[in-house]
Amino acid sequence: MCLAVPGEIIEITDRDPLLRSGRVRFGGIVKDVNLAYVPEAGVGDWVIVHVGFAISMLNAAEADRTLEYLAQIEAFHEPDDEVP
Amino acid sequence: MRFVDEYRDPVAVERCAEAIARLSRRPWTIMEVCGGQTHAIVKFGIDRLLPGTITLVHGPGCPVCVTPVEKIERAMALAARPDVIFCSFGDMLRVPGRHGDLQSVRAHGGDVRIVYSPLDALRVAEENPDREIVFFAVGFETTAPANAMALRQAKARNVRNFSLLVSHVLVPPAMAALLSAPDCRLNGFLAAGHVCAVAGHEEYEALATRFRVPVVVTGFEPLDILQGIYMCVKQLEAQRATVENQYRRAVRREGNTEARRLMAEAFEVVDRRWRGMGVIPASGLAPSHAYREFDAEVRFPDHLEVGEETTECISGQILRGVARPNDCPAFGTRCTPEHPLGATMVSSEGACAAYYRYRGVNAKTA
Amino acid sequence: MNQSEPACPLPWDHDTILLAHGGGGRLMHRLINDVFLAEFGAVPPVGLHDGALLDIAGGRIAFTTDTYVVRPLFFPGGDIGTLAVYGTVNDLAMCGARPLYLSVGMILEEGTPIATVRAVAASIRAAATAAQVRVVTGDTKVVERGRGDGLYVNTAGIGVVPPDVMIAPGRVRVGDAVILSGDLGRHGIAIMAVREGLAFETTIKSDCAPLAAPVARLLDTGIDVHCLRDLTRGGLASALVEIAGDASVRIHIEERAIPITDDVRGACEILGLDPLHVANEGRFVAFVPAGQADAALTLLRAHAPGGNAAIIGVVHRDPEGIVTLTSVIGAERIVDMPSGEQLPRIC
């Protein structure tokens, strides 16, 4: 339903709370993105972008934990029943 | 690309699929709610790596597919007006109403423009003060904050020639409707990660308990989907039914509080008809009273009498997960992406289009 | 421009196209002389005539035509004039022909700036020079304002095919290697990047380029090229699906082997497009015997635009005529051609 893609904030261009926006890089291209919904995000942070809006900040530590969980599955270990 | 490529590693994918095969002892039917996940599953061939015990069914999570015919007809009527510039996401242009689609309106002289973001449509309005700009605001919870922001900015900047034709839908009521159907055979859900990035996943806890189904909030890359399936099967085999979050790098339990706040201000919850599924109570969003002046249906109050479509299309059963695209006698013959009978063939996220594109017409034997 | 004409009710010195420029009168001759002939080069020695008389060496003639309606007219890496020359030259090259002569037909919209027409004409000349072809005849029409996007170009081309060359889908054989001449999708993405409503920042330029020289290299080196196809609208997927159908074979490709730049990938991710469906204007696929695949690859890496040719697949027996792909995660699926216009998939 919702095509949303991770990108890296490379510049904040407008700091007005309503219009807060910046330039976000996806692979080799850059697009202007509204950042009003990720007020805590700054340059160097990764966000998930849908129809020109950052809807969520990407949590790198959680991303690593997901990959660790996958590594446990692959290694025939039963991961903890706790969520990954 | 970071946060993408590491979730497409073929060795990890193979091992994860093997782990699912080791884990599953009984047959399970799991629905991925989101059309984006359906697209990824068939594009990457993920379902072909799963053991025979796991059946994936494709849910109603494609806003293009579930937009009711009456809205498409209204969109076409508005787009045909000479005073209107009609702006839309690209996918919506091919969705058939009863007679034609937005592409055919454009061919007959309607000013129909594709935009990437609702804010692009707002810009068109500011650049064309002598025209009425209508944006076709479809989508799930993921898209609602963007449309809420377009309303908010239009009001703040007093843009008088801008309005939204809103057909927003909400996921949890649709899941409850699916689970309440007497022919429901779903054992578990992969919930849509990007919907939950906005709306959170608290609402699914009541569903999991009430219907005793596991719900795993899942991302969109191949390893995300496989891990979501793994976590769901693990719950099913252990006879547990809780909400788990596979997509923790993007989703928090409470979702995006800023986005939810503006959504609640700009929209109100209404009953909504879903194409192929009928009216589901409290399953849609409409502009709230404070934004009524930006509601295209208030601004252009011409009423169209529209009933549900009547064709041989079985998209309603497909959207409810009780049939698969290749169960349909018209699939790939009378119904193709060039000549769709129903919405699931129109949208590239629709289950039928995804099957057609990535499986071919001979999918029955595949 | 020359102001020495006698007083005359006819508007004479203009910076935009008028309907009268298509009327067959003086304005039209002036447009042809001052813009097209000036840009394309000298008048043929026999003078202007309704057709061109051409000398063709022995062998078979390849003949093709194509019409260009691209919007915007100018885009990063080229314009409609460049496309009009390379597109037709490439169609000839895909028959194994050495392109020689082009015709250029211009359909101009009333109100189009003369400067725009001149710029396109200059591009046509530059592209013809680069592709080593001559523009030898042409035509001009003007349509009313609102009936064309500035200008359209039609080109037709003639080339000579060496006697022993036979390139056609029917010659594709089981076991043939499928070689892609360079990375995918730059043209379609460059156009999309400047389209109203979708715009994004990128340094990406269209891949439009003439392909006759790398094809000539393959043939001159003795590669037994079975089939060639340039990848235009519909992308790699459409080209392969057409050939598989015509040759009644299964073409199997490896997604991981397909070169795609980071910018194209990034744009495809955010717009929800499949790079296999995105348009190219300077890329082709070649079907060659397995034993000559490495030699052909080496030649294409050195001489084909992009410089990153790759062997992407192999031909299997299957009368159904389909294309299959091993995805990046190692699962197999069918490749289909896109239906209609490439619409960004957003929600």
Short mmCIF file of all heavy atoms in Angstrom, two decimals, chain B residues 201-239:
data_model
loop_
_atom_site.label_atom_id
_atom_site.label_comp_id
_atom_site.label_asym_id
_atom_site.label_seq_id
_atom_site.Cartn_x
_atom_site.Cartn_y
_atom_site.Cartn_z
N HIS B 201 0.98 0.27 16.82
CA HIS B 201 0.34 -1.04 16.75
C HIS B 201 -0.45 -1.40 18.00
O HIS B 201 -0.82 -2.55 18.21
CB HIS B 201 1.35 -2.14 16.39
CG HIS B 201 2.56 -2.21 17.27
ND1 HIS B 201 2.52 -2.75 18.52
CD2 HIS B 201 3.84 -1.83 17.06
CE1 HIS B 201 3.74 -2.68 19.04
NE2 HIS B 201 4.55 -2.13 18.19
N GLU B 202 -0.78 -0.37 18.81
CA GLU B 202 -1.62 -0.66 19.99
C GLU B 202 -2.97 -1.25 19.60
O GLU B 202 -3.49 -2.13 20.26
CB GLU B 202 -1.86 0.64 20.76
CG GLU B 202 -0.63 1.22 21.41
CD GLU B 202 -0.81 2.71 21.69
OE1 GLU B 202 -0.77 3.50 20.72
OE2 GLU B 202 -0.97 3.09 22.86
N GLU B 203 -3.52 -0.70 18.49
CA GLU B 203 -4.87 -1.08 18.10
C GLU B 203 -4.99 -2.57 17.75
O GLU B 203 -6.07 -3.14 17.81
CB GLU B 203 -5.32 -0.25 16.89
CG GLU B 203 -6.47 0.67 17.19
CD GLU B 203 -7.00 1.32 15.93
OE1 GLU B 203 -6.26 2.12 15.31
OE2 GLU B 203 -8.14 1.03 15.57
N TYR B 204 -3.87 -3.18 17.36
CA TYR B 204 -3.92 -4.58 16.95
C TYR B 204 -3.98 -5.53 18.15
O TYR B 204 -4.29 -6.70 18.00
CB TYR B 204 -2.72 -4.93 16.07
CG TYR B 204 -2.67 -4.11 14.80
CD1 TYR B 204 -1.87 -2.98 14.72
CD2 TYR B 204 -3.43 -4.47 13.71
CE1 TYR B 204 -1.83 -2.22 13.57
CE2 TYR B 204 -3.41 -3.72 12.54
CZ TYR B 204 -2.60 -2.59 12.48
OH TYR B 204 -2.57 -1.82 11.34
N GLU B 205 -3.64 -5.00 19.33
CA GLU B 205 -3.59 -5.88 20.50
C GLU B 205 -4.97 -6.44 20.81
O GLU B 205 -5.13 -7.63 21.10
CB GLU B 205 -2.99 -5.12 21.69
CG GLU B 205 -1.48 -4.91 21.49
CD GLU B 205 -0.89 -3.78 22.32
OE1 GLU B 205 -1.56 -3.31 23.26
OE2 GLU B 205 0.24 -3.36 22.01
N ALA B 206 -6.00 -5.58 20.71
CA ALA B 206 -7.36 -6.04 20.97
C ALA B 206 -7.79 -7.08 19.92
O ALA B 206 -8.43 -8.08 20.25
CB ALA B 206 -8.33 -4.86 20.95
N LEU B 207 -7.37 -6.84 18.67
CA LEU B 207 -7.70 -7.79 17.59
C LEU B 207 -7.08 -9.16 17.85
O LEU B 207 -7.73 -10.20 17.70
CB LEU B 207 -7.17 -7.27 16.26
CG LEU B 207 -7.98 -6.25 15.48
CD1 LEU B 207 -7.24 -5.88 14.20
CD2 LEU B 207 -9.35 -6.80 15.15
N ALA B 208 -5.80 -9.15 18.23
CA ALA B 208 -5.09 -10.41 18.45
C ALA B 208 -5.76 -11.21 19.56
O ALA B 208 -5.92 -12.44 19.46
CB ALA B 208 -3.62 -10.13 18.79
N THR B 209 -6.17 -10.50 20.59
CA THR B 209 -6.80 -11.18 21.72
C THR B 209 -8.20 -11.68 21.37
O THR B 209 -8.53 -12.85 21.58
CB THR B 209 -6.91 -10.20 22.91
OG1 THR B 209 -5.61 -9.64 23.13
CG2 THR B 209 -7.39 -10.91 24.16
N ARG B 210 -8.99 -10.77 20.76
CA ARG B 210 -10.39 -11.09 20.49
C ARG B 210 -10.53 -12.26 19.51
O ARG B 210 -11.35 -13.15 19.70
CB ARG B 210 -11.08 -9.84 19.94
CG ARG B 210 -12.54 -10.02 19.57
CD ARG B 210 -13.15 -8.69 19.12
NE ARG B 210 -14.26 -8.92 18.23
CZ ARG B 210 -14.66 -8.08 17.29
NH1 ARG B 210 -14.00 -6.93 17.11
NH2 ARG B 210 -15.69 -8.35 16.53
N PHE B 211 -9.68 -12.25 18.45
CA PHE B 211 -9.82 -13.28 17.43
C PHE B 211 -8.77 -14.39 17.56
O PHE B 211 -8.72 -15.28 16.72
CB PHE B 211 -9.74 -12.65 16.04
CG PHE B 211 -10.88 -11.73 15.72
CD1 PHE B 211 -10.73 -10.36 15.86
CD2 PHE B 211 -12.11 -12.22 15.32
CE1 PHE B 211 -11.79 -9.49 15.57
CE2 PHE B 211 -13.16 -11.37 15.02
CZ PHE B 211 -13.00 -10.01 15.16
N ARG B 212 -7.94 -14.30 18.57
CA ARG B 212 -6.87 -15.27 18.79
C ARG B 212 -6.01 -15.49 17.54
O ARG B 212 -5.80 -16.61 17.08
CB ARG B 212 -7.45 -16.62 19.28
CG ARG B 212 -8.00 -16.55 20.72
CD ARG B 212 -7.92 -17.87 21.47
NE ARG B 212 -6.64 -18.58 21.33
CZ ARG B 212 -5.51 -18.27 21.97
NH1 ARG B 212 -5.47 -17.24 22.80
NH2 ARG B 212 -4.44 -18.99 21.78
N VAL B 213 -5.55 -14.37 16.97
CA VAL B 213 -4.63 -14.46 15.84
C VAL B 213 -3.34 -13.69 16.15
O VAL B 213 -3.38 -12.60 16.71
CB VAL B 213 -5.21 -13.85 14.53
CG1 VAL B 213 -6.27 -14.75 13.93
CG2 VAL B 213 -5.74 -12.45 14.76
N PRO B 214 -2.21 -14.29 15.80
CA PRO B 214 -0.97 -13.53 15.91
C PRO B 214 -0.92 -12.43 14.85
O PRO B 214 -1.38 -12.63 13.72
CB PRO B 214 0.14 -14.56 15.64
CG PRO B 214 -0.53 -15.84 15.33
CD PRO B 214 -2.02 -15.65 15.33
N VAL B 215 -0.38 -11.28 15.23
CA VAL B 215 -0.19 -10.16 14.31
C VAL B 215 1.27 -9.74 14.41
O VAL B 215 1.73 -9.38 15.49
CB VAL B 215 -1.11 -8.97 14.67
CG1 VAL B 215 -0.85 -7.79 13.74
CG2 VAL B 215 -2.58 -9.38 14.63
N VAL B 216 1.98 -9.80 13.30
CA VAL B 216 3.38 -9.39 13.31
C VAL B 216 3.54 -8.18 12.39
O VAL B 216 3.32 -8.27 11.18
CB VAL B 216 4.32 -10.53 12.83
CG1 VAL B 216 5.77 -10.06 12.88
CG2 VAL B 216 4.12 -11.77 13.70
N VAL B 217 3.90 -7.04 13.00
CA VAL B 217 4.16 -5.83 12.22
C VAL B 217 5.43 -6.07 11.40
O VAL B 217 6.48 -6.38 11.97
CB VAL B 217 4.35 -4.62 13.15
CG1 VAL B 217 4.67 -3.37 12.35
CG2 VAL B 217 3.11 -4.43 14.02
N THR B 218 5.33 -5.94 10.08
CA THR B 218 6.39 -6.44 9.20
C THR B 218 6.81 -5.39 8.19
O THR B 218 5.98 -4.63 7.68
CB THR B 218 5.89 -7.71 8.48
OG1 THR B 218 5.50 -8.67 9.46
CG2 THR B 218 6.96 -8.32 7.59
N GLY B 219 8.11 -5.40 7.87
CA GLY B 219 8.66 -4.49 6.88
C GLY B 219 8.49 -5.02 5.47
O GLY B 219 7.70 -5.95 5.23
N PHE B 220 9.25 -4.47 4.53
CA PHE B 220 8.94 -4.66 3.10
C PHE B 220 10.04 -5.32 2.30
O PHE B 220 9.85 -5.65 1.14
CB PHE B 220 8.59 -3.31 2.48
CG PHE B 220 7.32 -2.76 3.07
CD1 PHE B 220 7.35 -2.12 4.30
CD2 PHE B 220 6.12 -2.94 2.44
CE1 PHE B 220 6.18 -1.64 4.88
CE2 PHE B 220 4.96 -2.47 3.00
CZ PHE B 220 4.98 -1.83 4.23
N GLU B 221 11.21 -5.50 2.90
CA GLU B 221 12.29 -6.15 2.17
C GLU B 221 12.15 -7.66 2.33
O GLU B 221 11.51 -8.13 3.28
CB GLU B 221 13.64 -5.65 2.70
CG GLU B 221 13.90 -4.18 2.42
CD GLU B 221 13.89 -3.85 0.93
OE1 GLU B 221 14.28 -4.71 0.13
OE2 GLU B 221 13.45 -2.74 0.57
N PRO B 222 12.76 -8.45 1.44
CA PRO B 222 12.59 -9.90 1.51
C PRO B 222 12.89 -10.49 2.89
O PRO B 222 12.12 -11.33 3.39
CB PRO B 222 13.57 -10.41 0.45
CG PRO B 222 13.60 -9.32 -0.57
CD PRO B 222 13.49 -8.03 0.22
N LEU B 223 13.99 -10.07 3.51
CA LEU B 223 14.30 -10.65 4.82
C LEU B 223 13.31 -10.20 5.89
O LEU B 223 13.02 -10.94 6.84
CB LEU B 223 15.73 -10.30 5.25
CG LEU B 223 16.81 -11.23 4.66
CD1 LEU B 223 18.19 -10.70 5.00
CD2 LEU B 223 16.65 -12.66 5.17
N ASP B 224 12.79 -8.98 5.77
CA ASP B 224 11.75 -8.53 6.70
C ASP B 224 10.53 -9.46 6.60
O ASP B 224 10.00 -9.91 7.62
CB ASP B 224 11.27 -7.11 6.34
CG ASP B 224 12.30 -6.03 6.66
OD1 ASP B 224 12.97 -6.15 7.69
OD2 ASP B 224 12.42 -5.09 5.87
N ILE B 225 10.11 -9.71 5.38
CA ILE B 225 8.89 -10.51 5.18
C ILE B 225 9.11 -11.93 5.68
O ILE B 225 8.25 -12.50 6.37
CB ILE B 225 8.47 -10.45 3.70
CG1 ILE B 225 8.01 -9.03 3.36
CG2 ILE B 225 7.36 -11.46 3.40
CD1 ILE B 225 7.81 -8.77 1.89
N LEU B 226 10.27 -12.49 5.37
CA LEU B 226 10.55 -13.86 5.83
C LEU B 226 10.62 -13.91 7.36
O LEU B 226 10.11 -14.85 7.98
CB LEU B 226 11.85 -14.38 5.21
CG LEU B 226 11.71 -14.79 3.74
CD1 LEU B 226 13.08 -14.99 3.11
CD2 LEU B 226 10.88 -16.05 3.61
N GLN B 227 11.23 -12.91 7.96
CA GLN B 227 11.29 -12.90 9.43
C GLN B 227 9.90 -12.73 10.02
O GLN B 227 9.56 -13.35 11.03
CB GLN B 227 12.22 -11.79 9.93
CG GLN B 227 12.46 -11.90 11.43
CD GLN B 227 13.18 -10.68 11.99
OE1 GLN B 227 13.75 -9.89 11.26
NE2 GLN B 227 13.16 -10.56 13.32
N GLY B 228 9.07 -11.89 9.37
CA GLY B 228 7.69 -11.72 9.82
C GLY B 228 6.95 -13.05 9.79
O GLY B 228 6.23 -13.41 10.74
N ILE B 229 7.14 -13.79 8.71
CA ILE B 229 6.49 -15.11 8.59
C ILE B 229 7.02 -16.05 9.68
O ILE B 229 6.26 -16.76 10.34
CB ILE B 229 6.74 -15.71 7.18
CG1 ILE B 229 6.04 -14.85 6.13
CG2 ILE B 229 6.26 -17.16 7.11
CD1 ILE B 229 6.44 -15.16 4.70
N TYR B 230 8.34 -16.01 9.88
CA TYR B 230 8.95 -16.87 10.90
C TYR B 230 8.33 -16.58 12.27
O TYR B 230 7.94 -17.50 13.01
CB TYR B 230 10.46 -16.61 10.93
CG TYR B 230 11.22 -17.44 11.96
CD1 TYR B 230 11.77 -18.67 11.60
CD2 TYR B 230 11.40 -17.00 13.27
CE1 TYR B 230 12.46 -19.45 12.53
CE2 TYR B 230 12.08 -17.76 14.20
CZ TYR B 230 12.61 -18.97 13.82
OH TYR B 230 13.29 -19.74 14.74
N MET B 231 8.24 -15.30 12.60
CA MET B 231 7.71 -14.94 13.93
C MET B 231 6.24 -15.33 14.05
O MET B 231 5.78 -15.77 15.12
CB MET B 231 7.89 -13.43 14.17
CG MET B 231 9.36 -13.04 14.33
SD MET B 231 9.67 -11.25 14.22
CE MET B 231 8.92 -10.69 15.76
N CYS B 232 5.50 -15.20 12.96
CA CYS B 232 4.08 -15.55 12.98
C CYS B 232 3.90 -17.06 13.15
O CYS B 232 3.10 -17.52 13.97
CB CYS B 232 3.45 -15.06 11.67
SG CYS B 232 1.65 -15.05 11.69
N VAL B 233 4.68 -17.84 12.39
CA VAL B 233 4.59 -19.30 12.48
C VAL B 233 5.00 -19.77 13.88
O VAL B 233 4.39 -20.68 14.46
CB VAL B 233 5.47 -19.97 11.40
CG1 VAL B 233 5.58 -21.47 11.62
CG2 VAL B 233 4.91 -19.68 10.01
N LYS B 234 6.00 -19.11 14.42
CA LYS B 234 6.46 -19.49 15.75
C LYS B 234 5.34 -19.33 16.78
O LYS B 234 5.12 -20.20 17.63
CB LYS B 234 7.67 -18.64 16.12
CG LYS B 234 8.45 -19.19 17.28
CD LYS B 234 9.79 -18.51 17.40
CE LYS B 234 10.48 -19.07 18.63
NZ LYS B 234 11.66 -18.29 18.98
N GLN B 235 4.62 -18.22 16.67
CA GLN B 235 3.47 -18.02 17.56
C GLN B 235 2.40 -19.08 17.31
O GLN B 235 1.84 -19.64 18.26
CB GLN B 235 2.85 -16.64 17.32
CG GLN B 235 3.63 -15.49 17.91
CD GLN B 235 2.72 -14.26 18.05
OE1 GLN B 235 1.62 -14.35 18.58
NE2 GLN B 235 3.20 -13.12 17.59
N LEU B 236 2.13 -19.35 16.05
CA LEU B 236 1.06 -20.30 15.73
C LEU B 236 1.39 -21.69 16.25
O LEU B 236 0.54 -22.37 16.84
CB LEU B 236 0.84 -20.34 14.20
CG LEU B 236 0.16 -19.11 13.60
CD1 LEU B 236 0.30 -19.09 12.09
CD2 LEU B 236 -1.31 -19.06 14.01
N GLU B 237 2.63 -22.11 16.06
CA GLU B 237 3.03 -23.44 16.53
C GLU B 237 2.97 -23.53 18.05
O GLU B 237 2.71 -24.59 18.61
CB GLU B 237 4.44 -23.79 16.02
CG GLU B 237 4.53 -24.00 14.51
CD GLU B 237 3.86 -25.30 14.04
OE1 GLU B 237 3.54 -26.16 14.89
OE2 GLU B 237 3.66 -25.46 12.81
N ALA B 238 3.23 -22.39 18.71
CA ALA B 238 3.21 -22.37 20.18
C ALA B 238 1.82 -22.00 20.72
O ALA B 238 1.65 -21.81 21.93
CB ALA B 238 4.25 -21.38 20.70
N GLN B 239 0.86 -21.86 19.81
CA GLN B 239 -0.51 -21.49 20.16
C GLN B 239 -0.56 -20.18 20.95
O GLN B 239 -1.31 -20.03 21.91
CB GLN B 239 -1.19 -22.61 20.94
CG GLN B 239 -1.32 -23.87 20.09
CD GLN B 239 -2.14 -24.94 20.76
OE1 GLN B 239 -1.90 -25.27 21.91
NE2 GLN B 239 -3.12 -25.46 20.05
#
